[in-house]
């Protein structure tokens, strides 16, 4: 079959969703399918080549600059007047804002739609798949004229995403999904499609699809710092916050170090200042790092650290990269409905701490660290425990859903 995947890394060049889309594309190409990637990028960080796939790229430096100036519309950051003043200093970014907010025609939608139609006219595709979030590629595909199928892979929810307010909510999502021939969702999104749910009328066109995150580590194993605890990920106000983890390590003591690589600290300046004062050189904050650097940090760690999402319908794909590394995983749960808990209960080297007093948490953590830090299970064990998250299994499920789109069991 001939596939086109539309991947969007404009706002975040190192984001997980386009990276996982490339991994599925490579698995399909390896199985003999013809795969083209339409990469939407920021004009500064070129997307990587993918084995067996042909790549076309569209740069959106103007929209990337707009997102930086407006801080993605996230709450808890700079005041709105400061964001607007920052936007006014960049004519290209201001032009992108006019197209998006006033004309309701962002270039990432209009230009992407034209590119899809151009590529499809040249070599018609059996299916075109938009990988979301973000959703600009999905909105471009929604109104594109195609001879083949339109597919949407929702790795993150739209209307139900509690970390932002999606314009139009479920009405907008229903229109988007109605335009698609098939939609791939996570297990955590199923309640929206269940009887009585806001998307129940569309349940017949959805299939569950895992994250193709489970791949074996590459290259020789580095030296492991047993007392190094590493978190790699982005922080978000109201969704994934660092306060409980920093307080825990403040109470833990000893020589255990905490490295937190990734962005989002602007909204947590006070937490950061208190933790740096309390932990000193036991706290390391390298900021956003490329995927290769993140993998190197994870492979040299004695323990990998996970922070639970407060939104019960969002599961971090990073979780399966952690278990693929075979490492002990310390997870700070966001509550009983934390989406990661059912998966981590299968992992022999996991400790899940419920929200609570840092001193009590530290008392439970110390003996677990002494017993488990630096241990590693073979990749085969991770693949046995989480078979649906290997790229080959995800590709097989993807193809099966296209060949036999039976209604999902909800």
């Amino acid at each position: 079959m001939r596939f086109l995947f539309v991947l969007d890394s404009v706002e975040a060049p190192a984001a997980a969703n386009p990276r996982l889309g490339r991994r599925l594309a490579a698995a399909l190409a390896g199985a003999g399918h013809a795969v083209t990637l339409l990469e939407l990028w920021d004009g500064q960080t070129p997307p990587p080549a993918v084995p067996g796939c042909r790549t076309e790229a569209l740069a959106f430096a103007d929209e990337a600059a707009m997102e930086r100036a407006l801080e993605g519309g996230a709450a808890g950051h700079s005041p709105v007047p400061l964001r607007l003043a920052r936007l006014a200093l960049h004519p290209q970014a201001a032009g992108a804002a006019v197209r998006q907010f006033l004309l309701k025609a962002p270039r990432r939608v209009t230009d992407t739609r034209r590119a899809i139609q151009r590529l499809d006219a040249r070599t018609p595709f059996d299916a075109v798949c938009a990988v979301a979030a973000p959703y600009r590629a999905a909105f471009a595909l929604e109104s594109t004229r195609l001879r083949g199928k339109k597919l949407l892979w929702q790795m993150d929810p739209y209307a139900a995403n509690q970390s932002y307010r999606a314009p139009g909510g479920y009405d907008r999502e229903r229109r988007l999904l109605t335009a698609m021939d098939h939609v791939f969702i996570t297990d955590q999104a199923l309640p929206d499609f269940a009887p009585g749910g806001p998307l129940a009328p569309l349940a017949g066109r959805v299939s569950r699809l895992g994250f193709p995150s489970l791949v074996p580590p590459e290259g020789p194993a580095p030296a492991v710092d047993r007392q190094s605890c590493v978190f790699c990920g982005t922080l978000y106000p109201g969704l994934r916050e660092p306060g409980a983890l920093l307080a825990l390590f403040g109470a833990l003591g000893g020589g255990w170090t905490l490295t937190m690589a990734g962005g989002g600290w602007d909204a947590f300046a006070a937490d950061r200042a208190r933790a740096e004062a309390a932990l000193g050189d036991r706290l390391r904050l390298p900021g956003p790092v490329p995927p290769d650097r993140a993998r190197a940090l994870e492979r040299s760690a004695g323990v990998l650290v996970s922070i639970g999402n407060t939104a019960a319908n969002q599961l971090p794909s990073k979780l399966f990269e952690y278990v693929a590394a075979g490492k002990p995983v310390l997870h700070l749960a966001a509550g009983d409905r934390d989406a990661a808990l059912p998966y981590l209960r299968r992992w022999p080297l996991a400790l899940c701490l419920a929200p609570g007093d840092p001193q009590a948490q530290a008392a439970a953590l110390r003996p677990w660290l002494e017993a488990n830090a630096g241990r590693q299970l073979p990749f085969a064990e991770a693949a046995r425990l989480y078979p649906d998250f290997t790229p080959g299994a995800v590709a097989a499920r993807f193809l099966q859903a296209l060949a036999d789109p039976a209604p999902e069991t909800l």
Side-chain angles (χ1 to χ4, degrees), residues 335-402:
D336 293 341
R337 298 177 65 241
D338 188 322
L341 291 177
Y343 298 95
L344 284 174
R345 288 179 182 130
R346 301 184 213 167
W347 188 238
L349 299 183
L351 174 65
C352 299
L353 295 177
D357 173 62
Q359 295 293 340
Q361 290 179 325
L365 177 58
R366 289 188 194 101
W368 181 84
L369 287 173
E370 292 295 344
N372 291 285
R375 293 179 62 190
Q376 184 167 3
L377 296 179
F379 176 78
E381 181 66 4
R384 183 186 69 81
L385 291 171
Y386 307 96
D388 293 341
F389 296 90
T390 62
V394 174
R397 173 67 171 150
F398 181 87
L399 293 170
Q400 179 188 17
L402 297 186

Side-chain angles (χ1 to χ4, degrees), residues 180-258:
M180 300 295 159
D181 294 288
H182 206 76
V183 181
F184 297 96
I185 62 172
T186 66
D187 280 353
Q188 291 70 41
L190 286 173
D192 277 353
F193 295 87
L199 302 174
L202 297 160
R205 65 181 66 201
V206 302
S207 296
R208 291 177 284 184
L209 196 65
F211 302 119
S213 301
L214 209 63
V215 296
E218 296 180 354
V224 171
D225 180 353
R226 184 175 177 274
Q227 291 200 297
S228 172
C229 303
V230 171
F231 166 87
C232 291
T234 303
L235 304 172
Y236 299 97
L239 177 70
R240 189 185 307 136
E241 300 190 348
L245 177 60
L246 296 173
L248 170 60
F249 270 76
L252 181 63
W256 305 99
T257 64
L258 175 62

Side-chain angles (χ1 to χ4, degrees), residues 5-264:
F5 282 83
V6 189
L7 311 173
D8 186 343
S9 59
V10 173
E11 284 131 325
N17 290 359
R19 186 167 72 250
L20 296 179
R22 294 181 196 113
R23 194 169 287 163
L24 172 57
L28 291 170
H33 299 277
V35 182
T36 299
L37 306 180
L38 178 58
E39 294 269 10
L40 320 183
W41 63 298
D42 65 355
Q44 297 180 7
T45 311
V50 178
C53 300
R54 185 167 148 271
T55 298
E56 299 261 346
L58 286 177
F60 294 94
D62 53 344
E63 292 199 20
M66 177 193 73
E67 295 291 349
R68 288 194 297 271
L70 297 179
E71 299 176 13
H77 292 252
S78 303
V80 171
L82 178 58
R83 300 189 201 193
L84 295 176
R86 195 185 299 136
L87 181 69
L89 294 175
H90 299 279
Q92 282 190 324
V98 168
R99 285 189 291 272
Q100 178 163 321
F101 298 109
L102 296 181
L103 302 180
K104 308 297 183 185
R107 197 168 64 84
R108 213 182 326 171
V109 173
T110 57
D111 285 13
T112 300
R113 181 192 304 125
R114 284 193 287 267
I116 295 172
Q117 291 175 337
R118 171 177 54 82
L119 292 169
D120 187 60
R122 189 169 68 194
T123 52
F125 298 103
D126 295 296
V128 178
C129 182
V131 176
Y135 275 81
R136 295 286 184 267
F139 296 144
L141 181 58
E142 178 182 24
S143 55
T144 300
R145 295 185 303 275
L146 291 175
R147 284 164 279 189
K149 292 183 178 180
K150 295 182 182 181
L151 313 176
L152 175 60
W153 186 7
Q154 290 185 302
M155 281 194 245
D156 290 299
Y158 180 69
N161 191 332
Q162 297 175 28
S163 64
Y164 64 88
R165 291 285 179 253
Y170 283 108
D171 287 339
R172 182 67 186 91
E173 186 167 7
R174 278 189 286 269
R175 294 198 303 273
L176 174 62
L177 270 56
T178 299
M180 300 295 159
D181 294 288
H182 206 76
V183 181
F184 297 96
I185 62 172
T186 66
D187 280 353
Q188 291 70 41
L190 286 173
D192 277 353
F193 295 87
L199 302 174
L202 297 160
R205 65 181 66 201
V206 302
S207 296
R208 291 177 284 184
L209 196 65
F211 302 119
S213 301
L214 209 63
V215 296
E218 296 180 354
V224 171
D225 180 353
R226 184 175 177 274
Q227 291 200 297
S228 172
C229 303
V230 171
F231 166 87
C232 291
T234 303
L235 304 172
Y236 299 97
L239 177 70
R240 189 185 307 136
E241 300 190 348
L245 177 60
L246 296 173
L248 170 60
F249 270 76
L252 181 63
W256 305 99
T257 64
L258 175 62
T259 298
M260 299 185 70

